[in-house]
Amino acid sequence: METEGGITVRRALELPGLRGGLPEVLTCAERLDRTVRWVHAGEAPNLPALLKGGELLLTTGLGLGSRPADQRAFVRRLADRDIAALVVELGPRFSRLPAAIVDAARTAGLPLVQLHREVPFVAVTEEIHTEIVNGHYALLRRAEEVHRRCTQAVLGGGGVPQVLGILADFAANPVFLETPDGRLLFAAGSGTAPAGADPLQVWEGLRAARAARAAPPADAVLVEVPGGGHGTGSVRARLVLLAVSGPLVTVHRMAAERAAGILAVVLMQARQEEEVAARGRGDFLTDLAEGRIAPGDAPAQAGVLGFRPGGDPLLPVVMRLAPGSAPSGSWALLARAVVEELAAVGAPVLVGVRPVEGRVPLLLALRPGTTRAALADRVAGALRAGAARAGLEGPGDRTPAVVVVGAAGGWTAAGAGLRHAAEAATAAQGLGERPWYDARRLDIDLLLWRLRDHPDLASFVDRAIGPLLEHDRTSRPALLPTLEAYVAHAGRKAEAARELHLNRQTLYNRLARIGELLGTDPDDPQSVLALSLALRARRHTR
């Protein structure tokens, strides 16, 4: 019988050392399959306090005491320590074990053995310890065999399912790989499990127990799969073995720990391969945008990447993340999350990543019956949800992701549309937050962005709104927000007042003060246009 890293009491009694003492089992013969973790010999009255559990205790009885009450108390303390068995050598102290000791052992459920011949305790201890060490080595060899088989499976092109299958067959029980927050990634059942032991049904039962806040089964084996995060305790996933068809013992945990190391490598490799593939798609889309791929060659190359839109128009979309917001290793997670979110859109999609520029370019097929605006709404929502899942955008971000949607068209227009959307996404940084921007409505911002390094643009901004900026550095209330709201509403004072939460007279007074500072008439359409351009240009020149 396999033990938890030791041998059984029965096996210890069969070894030559104890067998030579003519052992006689006095109590609890049915419990001789208890595990012996270690052997201890001693005679001190305080001996129980020195034990940790699982020991086979050898003694001549000198520390047991002479009074029945002391003897019963000594045996009870041993049982409370959960030792494996008590072995007493008969001799000068006891010619036969007193009834108080025997009755106390029987009551406590402690196997009690008496030796009718003297044995060298040192030799017995060495012999049993050697057996225990050999048992540990045998367990290690079995676990290493699982490790070897898993390694061969991975080197042969296998992945997570093959590793889990090997572990499930070895443990003869279902094995699961879950995320750190408890979501199922993979499940594997044992080929030797009885019919009806469906691992997914087993998982549903475990999930229901967790939902009811029940503790995990005591005989389950949980092993963390290390991850590649920034913290030393980063966990990528968790292996779960459940005792459904049979018990789980030490060797199963040892095998699971070794399998977890292989799974860490497999998952890291999968993430790296996924990122390489996502970068490859991003390179294709960038080459298409920059004219390095002819429109006539693009459909075939896109087909190799799995994108086959047929004859439907193509909608170019670009999401730009804040610079530095995507640390190394997060692009694969982002690409996968975006693809999964876009699956609900129901249209062919090609998603790539460009980490250097902080962009996610993509093309979608615009199916008949779907409007550009409706598809843009769904795509923008999917992109933002993917970024949130990858931890790259959240409610507290000061520079949220920008999504820009280009004009729909065929392969001839797709490259220019992607280029236009990418440049517009850069120019849109710092604008008011919106679900998505229409690239065609960002042309003025794009033009100003392209002129950002021209000294005439900085001079224009200084002439148009310089005095107002100087006023706001030293005086209150600041007037720039008033001007921004006013021009954003194209000079409609009532709407600007509502946005600023001002009464109309206060707004009129502030606009009059702005007119004095700038030497212009805020009611003049040409002045409003010039101020609007200056405010937009200021984002790129400051």
Side-chain angles (χ1 to χ4, degrees):
M1 175 178 178
E2 184 170 11
T3 61
E4 294 285 329
I7 65 172
T8 64
V9 176
R10 189 185 313 280
R11 173 59 181 159
L13 296 177
E14 292 172 350
L15 294 175
L18 286 179
R19 190 173 70 240
L22 301 180
E24 179 186 359
V25 180
L26 299 180
T27 63
C28 304
E30 73 282 359
R31 305 196 71 187
L32 295 183
D33 288 326
R34 301 182 77 184
T35 299
V36 176
R37 185 186 57 81
W38 205 241
V39 182
H40 194 85
E43 308 295 343
N46 67 335
L47 193 57
L50 306 177
L51 305 177
K52 298 181 179 180
E55 294 92 350
L56 180 76
L57 177 59
L58 301 174
T59 182
T60 62
L62 293 177
L64 286 170
S66 56
R67 296 186 304 168
D70 294 338
Q71 294 169 352
R72 284 191 290 268
F74 189 92
V75 172
R76 283 196 300 269
R77 291 201 301 273
L78 291 178
D80 290 342
R81 284 301 202 185
D82 196 28
I83 70 169
L86 172 62
V87 179
V88 182
E89 182 184 80
L90 301 179
R93 179 67 180 89
F94 295 120
S95 59
R96 58 180 295 181
L97 289 182
I101 296 176
V102 177
D103 292 341
R106 182 179 295 109
T107 300
L110 176 65
L112 175 63
V113 180
Q114 63 182 7
L115 300 178
H116 291 276
R117 287 182 182 174
E118 182 180 351
V119 297
F121 282 178
V122 172
V124 171
T125 299
E126 181 180 1
E127 186 178 53
I128 295 177
H129 286 173
T130 299
E131 190 81 1
I132 292 173
V133 171
N134 289 340
H136 276 291
Y137 181 65
L139 294 182
L140 182 61
R141 288 179 59 186
R142 294 181 61 193
E144 288 299 329
E145 174 61 19
V146 173
H147 183 272
R148 184 189 65 80
R149 292 174 56 200
C150 291
T151 301
Q152 286 183 338
V154 172
L155 292 177
V160 174
Q162 287 72 26
V163 173
L164 295 187
I166 291 170
L167 185 58
D169 285 341
F170 176 73
N173 278 295
V175 177
F176 308 94
L177 186 68
E178 64 177 15
T179 62
D181 60 358
R183 290 184 292 109
L184 180 63
L185 295 174
F186 294 93
S190 168
T192 60
D198 182 357
L200 293 181
Q201 292 180 355
V202 174
W203 175 264
E204 283 299 314
L206 177 63
R207 190 175 63 84
R210 285 174 169 172
R213 299 184 182 277
D219 53 356
V221 171
L222 284 76
V223 177
E224 291 180 341
V225 178
H230 301 293
T232 57
S234 175
V235 176
R236 175 167 288 143
R238 185 166 45 235
L239 264 177
V240 181
L241 283 70
L242 295 180
V244 175
S245 305
L248 294 170
V249 292
T250 299
V251 70
H252 297 139
R253 172 173 287 279
M254 295 169 66
E257 289 170 349
R258 283 152 180 77
I262 295 177
L263 288 172
V265 176
V266 172
L267 292 175
M268 184 178 297
Q269 179 70 20
R271 177 169 292 186
Q272 290 173 346
E273 291 177 352
E274 193 170 13
E275 180 168 336
V276 169
R279 288 182 182 229
R281 295 190 296 269
D283 291 343
F284 165 77
L285 293 171
T286 300
D287 288 344
L288 180 65
E290 295 180 0
R292 290 189 288 269
I293 296 178
D297 298 333
Q301 294 189 32
V304 172
L305 297 174
F307 181 59
R308 300 176 180 85
D312 294 327
L314 303 176
L315 185 68
V317 182
V318 172
M319 177 171 69
R320 188 176 190 276
L321 299 167
S325 65
S328 176
S330 65
W331 287 98
L333 179 61
L334 172 63
R336 182 171 66 250
V338 168
V339 170
E340 291 173 355
E341 294 289 342
L342 287 172
V345 175
V349 59
L350 181 64
V351 180
V353 297
R354 294 286 293 178
V356 175
E357 297 92 350
R359 292 201 308 262
V360 180
L362 58 145
L363 284 176
L364 296 101
L366 184 59
R367 293 299 198 195
T370 302
T371 66
R372 174 177 176 271
L375 183 58
D377 285 338
R378 299 183 65 182
V379 171
L383 285 168
R384 294 188 181 281
R389 283 175 54 187
L392 303 178
E393 185 185 32
D397 289 344
R398 296 182 179 179
T399 52
V402 172
V403 179
V404 175
V405 180
W411 282 106
T412 301
L418 281 169
R419 183 172 62 255
H420 186 196
E423 292 179 342
T426 301
Q429 292 289 329
L431 287 177
E433 187 174 352
R434 294 183 186 177
W436 59 278
Y437 291 91
D438 189 330
R440 296 170 298 188
R441 302 191 64 178
L442 291 172
D443 281 342
I444 293 177
D445 294 278
L446 179 56
L447 176 62
L448 295 172
W449 175 77
R450 287 172 174 167
L451 296 173
R452 64 190 181 280
D453 295 326
H454 200 289
D456 287 349
L457 187 64
S459 298
F460 165 67
V461 172
D462 187 56
R463 288 194 307 273
I465 59 174
L468 182 63
L469 299 177
E470 184 63 31
H471 168 273
D472 284 2
R473 292 190 189 99
T474 58
S475 304
R476 291 291 179 269
L479 298 176
L480 184 64
T482 300
L483 180 60
E484 289 175 332
Y486 180 67
V487 299
H489 291 285
R492 294 187 291 272
K493 297 177 182 178
E495 296 178 16
R498 280 195 296 271
E499 180 180 325
L500 295 168
H501 304 289
L502 299 175
N503 60 54
R504 290 195 180 188
Q505 188 57 52
T506 300
L507 177 67
Y508 296 159
N509 293 340
R510 291 188 180 182
L511 289 175
R513 178 60 178 151
I514 290 172
E516 293 174 4
L517 289 169
L518 301 181
T520 188
D521 180 6
D523 290 326
D524 177 39
Q526 291 298 320
S527 297
V528 172
L529 175 59
L531 292 172
S532 176
L533 288 174
L535 290 173
R536 289 188 178 191
R538 176 174 173 265
R539 292 189 301 110
H540 307 300
T541 59
R542 60 182 174 180

